[in-house]
Short mmCIF file of all heavy atoms in Angstrom, two decimals:
data_model
loop_
_atom_site.label_atom_id
_atom_site.label_comp_id
_atom_site.label_asym_id
_atom_site.label_seq_id
_atom_site.Cartn_x
_atom_site.Cartn_y
_atom_site.Cartn_z
N GLY Y 61 51.76 146.40 -166.57
CA GLY Y 61 51.26 145.24 -167.29
C GLY Y 61 50.02 144.62 -166.69
O GLY Y 61 49.37 143.84 -167.36
N GLY Y 62 49.69 144.99 -165.49
CA GLY Y 62 48.43 144.47 -164.90
C GLY Y 62 47.24 145.03 -165.64
O GLY Y 62 46.11 144.48 -165.59
N CYS Y 63 47.38 146.20 -166.31
CA CYS Y 63 46.28 146.84 -166.98
C CYS Y 63 46.50 146.86 -168.52
O CYS Y 63 45.56 147.04 -169.27
CB CYS Y 63 46.06 148.26 -166.49
SG CYS Y 63 45.50 148.34 -164.76
N HIS Y 64 47.74 146.79 -168.96
CA HIS Y 64 48.00 147.00 -170.37
C HIS Y 64 48.66 145.79 -170.98
O HIS Y 64 49.60 145.17 -170.38
CB HIS Y 64 48.97 148.19 -170.59
CG HIS Y 64 48.45 149.53 -170.08
ND1 HIS Y 64 47.49 150.24 -170.89
CD2 HIS Y 64 48.61 150.21 -169.02
CE1 HIS Y 64 47.20 151.33 -170.24
NE2 HIS Y 64 47.88 151.35 -169.09
N LYS Y 65 48.28 145.45 -172.24
CA LYS Y 65 48.93 144.44 -173.05
C LYS Y 65 50.12 145.16 -173.68
O LYS Y 65 49.99 146.26 -174.21
CB LYS Y 65 48.04 143.93 -174.10
CG LYS Y 65 48.67 142.91 -175.02
CD LYS Y 65 47.63 142.42 -176.03
CE LYS Y 65 48.25 141.27 -176.88
NZ LYS Y 65 49.19 141.70 -177.83
N PHE Y 66 51.33 144.59 -173.59
CA PHE Y 66 52.49 145.13 -174.26
C PHE Y 66 53.45 144.02 -174.51
O PHE Y 66 54.07 143.46 -173.54
CB PHE Y 66 53.12 146.22 -173.38
CG PHE Y 66 54.17 147.08 -174.05
CD1 PHE Y 66 53.95 147.62 -175.28
CD2 PHE Y 66 55.44 147.23 -173.49
CE1 PHE Y 66 54.91 148.40 -175.90
CE2 PHE Y 66 56.40 148.00 -174.12
CZ PHE Y 66 56.13 148.57 -175.33
N ALA Y 67 53.56 143.61 -175.78
CA ALA Y 67 54.38 142.42 -176.11
C ALA Y 67 55.84 142.44 -175.63
O ALA Y 67 56.29 141.42 -175.12
CB ALA Y 67 54.33 142.24 -177.65
N PRO Y 68 56.57 143.63 -175.72
CA PRO Y 68 57.92 143.63 -175.26
C PRO Y 68 58.08 143.30 -173.78
O PRO Y 68 59.09 142.77 -173.33
CB PRO Y 68 58.41 145.04 -175.57
CG PRO Y 68 57.55 145.50 -176.70
CD PRO Y 68 56.22 144.85 -176.50
N ALA Y 69 57.01 143.60 -172.98
CA ALA Y 69 57.02 143.27 -171.56
C ALA Y 69 56.43 141.90 -171.28
O ALA Y 69 56.49 141.45 -170.18
CB ALA Y 69 56.26 144.37 -170.83
N GLY Y 70 55.77 141.30 -172.28
CA GLY Y 70 55.14 140.01 -172.05
C GLY Y 70 53.91 140.11 -171.21
O GLY Y 70 53.60 139.16 -170.47
N THR Y 71 53.22 141.27 -171.27
CA THR Y 71 52.06 141.45 -170.46
C THR Y 71 50.80 141.38 -171.28
O THR Y 71 50.80 141.68 -172.47
CB THR Y 71 52.09 142.82 -169.65
OG1 THR Y 71 52.13 143.85 -170.67
CG2 THR Y 71 53.32 142.88 -168.78
N ASN Y 72 49.63 141.04 -170.62
CA ASN Y 72 48.37 140.85 -171.34
C ASN Y 72 47.20 141.52 -170.63
O ASN Y 72 46.06 141.05 -170.80
CB ASN Y 72 48.09 139.37 -171.50
CG ASN Y 72 49.08 138.71 -172.44
OD1 ASN Y 72 49.23 139.14 -173.58
ND2 ASN Y 72 49.72 137.63 -172.00
N GLY Y 73 47.47 142.58 -169.88
CA GLY Y 73 46.37 143.29 -169.21
C GLY Y 73 45.35 143.81 -170.26
O GLY Y 73 45.66 144.07 -171.42
N ASN Y 74 44.10 143.87 -169.83
CA ASN Y 74 43.05 144.41 -170.76
C ASN Y 74 42.18 145.47 -170.14
O ASN Y 74 41.12 145.77 -170.72
CB ASN Y 74 42.22 143.23 -171.28
CG ASN Y 74 41.48 142.46 -170.20
OD1 ASN Y 74 41.51 142.85 -169.03
ND2 ASN Y 74 40.80 141.43 -170.56
N VAL Y 75 42.59 146.08 -169.03
CA VAL Y 75 41.75 147.14 -168.42
C VAL Y 75 42.03 148.40 -169.17
O VAL Y 75 41.13 149.20 -169.48
CB VAL Y 75 42.12 147.29 -166.91
CG1 VAL Y 75 41.44 148.52 -166.35
CG2 VAL Y 75 41.79 146.06 -166.15
N GLY Y 76 43.33 148.59 -169.56
CA GLY Y 76 43.72 149.82 -170.26
C GLY Y 76 44.00 149.45 -171.72
O GLY Y 76 44.07 148.28 -172.11
N PRO Y 77 44.25 150.46 -172.56
CA PRO Y 77 44.54 150.29 -173.96
C PRO Y 77 45.75 149.35 -174.20
O PRO Y 77 46.70 149.29 -173.37
CB PRO Y 77 44.79 151.69 -174.49
CG PRO Y 77 44.08 152.55 -173.55
CD PRO Y 77 44.22 151.88 -172.21
N ASP Y 78 45.72 148.64 -175.33
CA ASP Y 78 46.78 147.81 -175.75
C ASP Y 78 47.93 148.69 -176.23
O ASP Y 78 47.88 149.38 -177.23
CB ASP Y 78 46.25 146.93 -176.94
CG ASP Y 78 47.25 145.97 -177.52
OD1 ASP Y 78 48.51 146.14 -177.24
OD2 ASP Y 78 46.89 145.14 -178.36
N LEU Y 79 49.07 148.64 -175.50
CA LEU Y 79 50.19 149.52 -175.77
C LEU Y 79 50.93 149.11 -177.05
O LEU Y 79 51.76 149.89 -177.56
CB LEU Y 79 51.12 149.65 -174.59
CG LEU Y 79 50.42 150.22 -173.31
CD1 LEU Y 79 51.42 150.30 -172.19
CD2 LEU Y 79 49.78 151.60 -173.62
N ASP Y 80 50.64 147.96 -177.59
CA ASP Y 80 51.25 147.61 -178.86
C ASP Y 80 50.59 148.43 -180.00
O ASP Y 80 51.14 148.48 -181.09
CB ASP Y 80 51.01 146.09 -179.17
CG ASP Y 80 51.78 145.17 -178.15
OD1 ASP Y 80 52.97 145.58 -177.82
OD2 ASP Y 80 51.26 144.18 -177.72
N LYS Y 81 49.51 149.06 -179.72
CA LYS Y 81 48.81 149.93 -180.70
C LYS Y 81 48.96 151.41 -180.32
O LYS Y 81 48.19 152.23 -180.83
CB LYS Y 81 47.34 149.55 -180.72
CG LYS Y 81 46.99 148.13 -181.10
CD LYS Y 81 45.55 147.82 -181.02
CE LYS Y 81 45.30 146.44 -181.43
NZ LYS Y 81 43.83 146.11 -181.32
N LEU Y 82 49.98 151.71 -179.60
CA LEU Y 82 50.19 153.11 -179.10
C LEU Y 82 50.31 154.10 -180.29
O LEU Y 82 49.72 155.18 -180.25
CB LEU Y 82 51.43 153.17 -178.26
CG LEU Y 82 51.64 154.40 -177.39
CD1 LEU Y 82 50.45 154.66 -176.49
CD2 LEU Y 82 52.85 154.23 -176.51
N SER Y 83 51.07 153.73 -181.37
CA SER Y 83 51.16 154.67 -182.46
C SER Y 83 49.86 154.88 -183.17
O SER Y 83 49.54 156.00 -183.63
CB SER Y 83 52.22 154.19 -183.49
OG SER Y 83 51.88 152.94 -184.02
N GLN Y 84 49.01 153.90 -183.23
CA GLN Y 84 47.68 154.04 -183.80
C GLN Y 84 46.82 155.03 -182.98
O GLN Y 84 46.14 155.88 -183.50
CB GLN Y 84 47.00 152.68 -183.89
CG GLN Y 84 45.55 152.68 -184.36
CD GLN Y 84 44.88 151.28 -184.29
OE1 GLN Y 84 45.59 150.28 -184.39
NE2 GLN Y 84 43.63 151.28 -184.05
N TYR Y 85 46.91 154.85 -181.65
CA TYR Y 85 46.17 155.71 -180.76
C TYR Y 85 46.60 157.17 -180.90
O TYR Y 85 45.83 158.10 -180.87
CB TYR Y 85 46.28 155.25 -179.29
CG TYR Y 85 45.79 153.90 -178.96
CD1 TYR Y 85 46.40 153.15 -178.04
CD2 TYR Y 85 44.67 153.35 -179.66
CE1 TYR Y 85 45.95 151.82 -177.71
CE2 TYR Y 85 44.27 152.06 -179.38
CZ TYR Y 85 44.87 151.31 -178.37
OH TYR Y 85 44.40 150.04 -178.10
N ALA Y 86 47.94 157.30 -181.03
CA ALA Y 86 48.54 158.64 -181.14
C ALA Y 86 47.96 159.33 -182.48
O ALA Y 86 47.65 160.55 -182.43
CB ALA Y 86 50.04 158.65 -181.15
N LYS Y 87 47.85 158.59 -183.51
CA LYS Y 87 47.39 159.19 -184.74
C LYS Y 87 45.90 159.51 -184.59
O LYS Y 87 45.52 160.62 -185.09
CB LYS Y 87 47.56 158.15 -185.93
CG LYS Y 87 49.01 158.05 -186.33
CD LYS Y 87 49.16 157.01 -187.45
CE LYS Y 87 50.64 156.78 -187.69
NZ LYS Y 87 50.87 155.61 -188.65
N THR Y 88 45.12 158.67 -183.98
CA THR Y 88 43.71 158.93 -183.80
C THR Y 88 43.51 160.23 -182.91
O THR Y 88 42.67 161.02 -183.21
CB THR Y 88 43.01 157.72 -183.15
OG1 THR Y 88 43.18 156.60 -183.99
CG2 THR Y 88 41.54 157.99 -182.93
N ALA Y 89 44.31 160.30 -181.87
CA ALA Y 89 44.15 161.47 -180.97
C ALA Y 89 44.62 162.74 -181.58
O ALA Y 89 44.13 163.79 -181.22
CB ALA Y 89 45.02 161.19 -179.67
N ASN Y 90 45.57 162.67 -182.57
CA ASN Y 90 46.06 163.86 -183.24
C ASN Y 90 46.47 164.96 -182.27
O ASN Y 90 46.13 166.11 -182.37
CB ASN Y 90 44.97 164.39 -184.21
CG ASN Y 90 45.59 165.38 -185.19
OD1 ASN Y 90 46.80 165.31 -185.47
ND2 ASN Y 90 44.74 166.26 -185.71
N GLN Y 91 47.30 164.54 -181.33
CA GLN Y 91 47.79 165.49 -180.25
C GLN Y 91 49.34 165.59 -180.24
O GLN Y 91 49.92 165.72 -179.23
CB GLN Y 91 47.30 165.04 -178.89
CG GLN Y 91 45.73 165.13 -178.80
CD GLN Y 91 45.30 164.69 -177.39
OE1 GLN Y 91 46.00 164.15 -176.57
NE2 GLN Y 91 44.07 165.05 -177.07
N GLY Y 92 49.89 165.52 -181.39
CA GLY Y 92 51.39 165.65 -181.49
C GLY Y 92 52.05 164.36 -181.86
O GLY Y 92 51.40 163.36 -182.26
N SER Y 93 53.34 164.36 -181.69
CA SER Y 93 54.16 163.17 -182.04
C SER Y 93 53.83 161.99 -181.15
O SER Y 93 53.15 162.15 -180.05
CB SER Y 93 55.60 163.50 -181.89
OG SER Y 93 55.92 163.63 -180.54
N LEU Y 94 54.26 160.80 -181.52
CA LEU Y 94 54.09 159.64 -180.66
C LEU Y 94 54.66 159.87 -179.32
O LEU Y 94 54.01 159.53 -178.31
CB LEU Y 94 54.69 158.40 -181.35
CG LEU Y 94 54.72 157.12 -180.55
CD1 LEU Y 94 53.30 156.70 -180.19
CD2 LEU Y 94 55.47 156.04 -181.34
N ALA Y 95 55.88 160.39 -179.22
CA ALA Y 95 56.51 160.62 -177.92
C ALA Y 95 55.67 161.61 -177.12
O ALA Y 95 55.52 161.44 -175.90
CB ALA Y 95 57.95 161.10 -178.12
N ASP Y 96 55.25 162.70 -177.68
CA ASP Y 96 54.45 163.72 -177.02
C ASP Y 96 53.15 163.10 -176.49
O ASP Y 96 52.72 163.37 -175.33
CB ASP Y 96 54.12 164.89 -177.89
CG ASP Y 96 55.34 165.78 -178.23
OD1 ASP Y 96 56.35 165.66 -177.52
OD2 ASP Y 96 55.26 166.51 -179.26
N PHE Y 97 52.47 162.37 -177.34
CA PHE Y 97 51.25 161.70 -176.97
C PHE Y 97 51.45 160.73 -175.82
O PHE Y 97 50.66 160.70 -174.84
CB PHE Y 97 50.61 160.99 -178.17
CG PHE Y 97 49.39 160.15 -177.79
CD1 PHE Y 97 48.15 160.76 -177.55
CD2 PHE Y 97 49.50 158.76 -177.69
CE1 PHE Y 97 47.05 159.96 -177.20
CE2 PHE Y 97 48.40 157.99 -177.37
CZ PHE Y 97 47.16 158.55 -177.13
N THR Y 98 52.46 159.95 -175.87
CA THR Y 98 52.81 158.97 -174.85
C THR Y 98 53.10 159.68 -173.54
O THR Y 98 52.61 159.27 -172.48
CB THR Y 98 53.96 158.05 -175.31
OG1 THR Y 98 53.64 157.49 -176.58
CG2 THR Y 98 54.24 157.01 -174.26
N HIS Y 99 53.94 160.70 -173.58
CA HIS Y 99 54.28 161.43 -172.41
C HIS Y 99 53.01 162.04 -171.76
O HIS Y 99 52.83 161.87 -170.53
CB HIS Y 99 55.21 162.61 -172.74
CG HIS Y 99 55.65 163.39 -171.56
ND1 HIS Y 99 54.90 164.45 -171.06
CD2 HIS Y 99 56.75 163.32 -170.73
CE1 HIS Y 99 55.54 164.93 -170.01
NE2 HIS Y 99 56.58 164.26 -169.81
N GLU Y 100 52.16 162.67 -172.55
CA GLU Y 100 50.90 163.26 -172.00
C GLU Y 100 50.02 162.17 -171.41
O GLU Y 100 49.38 162.40 -170.40
CB GLU Y 100 50.18 164.03 -173.08
CG GLU Y 100 48.93 164.80 -172.58
CD GLU Y 100 49.24 165.98 -171.68
OE1 GLU Y 100 50.41 166.37 -171.57
OE2 GLU Y 100 48.31 166.46 -171.08
N SER Y 101 49.97 160.99 -172.07
CA SER Y 101 49.13 159.90 -171.62
C SER Y 101 49.56 159.40 -170.19
O SER Y 101 48.71 158.89 -169.44
CB SER Y 101 49.11 158.78 -172.58
OG SER Y 101 48.50 159.23 -173.77
N ILE Y 102 50.86 159.51 -169.91
CA ILE Y 102 51.40 159.04 -168.67
C ILE Y 102 51.26 160.16 -167.63
O ILE Y 102 50.82 159.95 -166.47
CB ILE Y 102 52.86 158.62 -168.75
CG1 ILE Y 102 52.96 157.38 -169.69
CG2 ILE Y 102 53.49 158.32 -167.41
CD1 ILE Y 102 54.41 157.06 -170.10
N ALA Y 103 51.67 161.34 -168.00
CA ALA Y 103 51.71 162.50 -167.06
C ALA Y 103 50.32 163.06 -166.74
O ALA Y 103 50.05 163.53 -165.61
CB ALA Y 103 52.58 163.62 -167.59
N ASN Y 104 49.42 162.96 -167.67
CA ASN Y 104 48.04 163.50 -167.51
C ASN Y 104 47.08 162.55 -168.24
O ASN Y 104 46.53 162.96 -169.30
CB ASN Y 104 47.98 164.93 -168.05
CG ASN Y 104 46.60 165.57 -167.85
OD1 ASN Y 104 45.84 165.10 -167.04
ND2 ASN Y 104 46.38 166.63 -168.54
N PRO Y 105 46.85 161.37 -167.68
CA PRO Y 105 46.10 160.30 -168.41
C PRO Y 105 44.64 160.71 -168.76
O PRO Y 105 44.08 160.15 -169.74
CB PRO Y 105 46.12 159.13 -167.51
CG PRO Y 105 46.50 159.64 -166.17
CD PRO Y 105 47.31 160.92 -166.40
N SER Y 106 44.03 161.66 -168.12
CA SER Y 106 42.69 162.04 -168.43
C SER Y 106 42.63 163.03 -169.58
O SER Y 106 41.55 163.34 -170.04
CB SER Y 106 41.97 162.58 -167.22
OG SER Y 106 42.60 163.78 -166.80
N ALA Y 107 43.75 163.42 -170.16
CA ALA Y 107 43.78 164.36 -171.25
C ALA Y 107 43.16 163.72 -172.51
O ALA Y 107 42.58 164.43 -173.31
CB ALA Y 107 45.22 164.86 -171.57
N TYR Y 108 43.33 162.48 -172.68
CA TYR Y 108 42.77 161.77 -173.84
C TYR Y 108 42.47 160.32 -173.34
O TYR Y 108 43.36 159.64 -172.84
CB TYR Y 108 43.74 161.67 -175.01
CG TYR Y 108 43.20 160.88 -176.16
CD1 TYR Y 108 42.37 161.40 -177.05
CD2 TYR Y 108 43.62 159.52 -176.32
CE1 TYR Y 108 41.85 160.67 -178.08
CE2 TYR Y 108 43.11 158.74 -177.36
CZ TYR Y 108 42.21 159.33 -178.25
OH TYR Y 108 41.72 158.58 -179.26
N ILE Y 109 41.23 159.92 -173.46
CA ILE Y 109 40.83 158.57 -173.10
C ILE Y 109 40.47 157.81 -174.40
O ILE Y 109 39.60 158.24 -175.18
CB ILE Y 109 39.55 158.62 -172.20
CG1 ILE Y 109 39.77 159.58 -171.03
CG2 ILE Y 109 39.16 157.25 -171.79
CD1 ILE Y 109 40.89 159.19 -170.13
N GLU Y 110 41.12 156.69 -174.61
CA GLU Y 110 40.88 155.92 -175.77
C GLU Y 110 39.49 155.32 -175.67
O GLU Y 110 39.08 154.86 -174.60
CB GLU Y 110 41.94 154.74 -175.86
CG GLU Y 110 41.79 153.91 -177.09
CD GLU Y 110 41.99 154.66 -178.41
OE1 GLU Y 110 42.76 155.64 -178.47
OE2 GLU Y 110 41.29 154.28 -179.39
N LYS Y 111 38.78 155.41 -176.83
CA LYS Y 111 37.40 154.92 -176.81
C LYS Y 111 37.32 153.41 -176.42
O LYS Y 111 38.15 152.59 -176.80
CB LYS Y 111 36.85 155.02 -178.31
CG LYS Y 111 35.42 154.66 -178.42
CD LYS Y 111 34.92 154.82 -179.86
CE LYS Y 111 33.50 154.43 -180.00
NZ LYS Y 111 32.99 154.55 -181.37
N GLY Y 112 36.39 153.17 -175.57
CA GLY Y 112 36.13 151.79 -175.07
C GLY Y 112 36.89 151.44 -173.75
O GLY Y 112 36.75 150.36 -173.30
N TYR Y 113 37.64 152.42 -173.19
CA TYR Y 113 38.38 152.20 -171.95
C TYR Y 113 37.96 153.21 -170.95
O TYR Y 113 37.67 154.29 -171.23
CB TYR Y 113 39.90 152.28 -172.28
CG TYR Y 113 40.39 151.16 -173.10
CD1 TYR Y 113 40.55 151.40 -174.50
CD2 TYR Y 113 40.68 149.88 -172.62
CE1 TYR Y 113 41.00 150.38 -175.36
CE2 TYR Y 113 41.11 148.86 -173.47
CZ TYR Y 113 41.27 149.12 -174.82
OH TYR Y 113 41.70 148.08 -175.63
#
Side-chain angles (χ1 to χ4, degrees):
C63 293
H64 297 281
K65 178 179 186 286
F66 191 52
T71 61
N72 291 306
N74 62 3
V75 174
D78 179 347
L79 298 180
D80 294 320
K81 298 177 181 177
L82 195 54
S83 61
Q84 176 186 330
Y85 300 146
K87 287 177 187 171
T88 301
N90 194 26
Q91 294 181 346
S93 70
L94 173 61
D96 290 342
F97 172 76
T98 304
H99 182 277
E100 185 70 11
S101 295
I102 296 167
N104 184 14
S106 62
Y108 176 82
I109 308 299
E110 183 61 34
K111 185 178 178 181
Y113 293 96

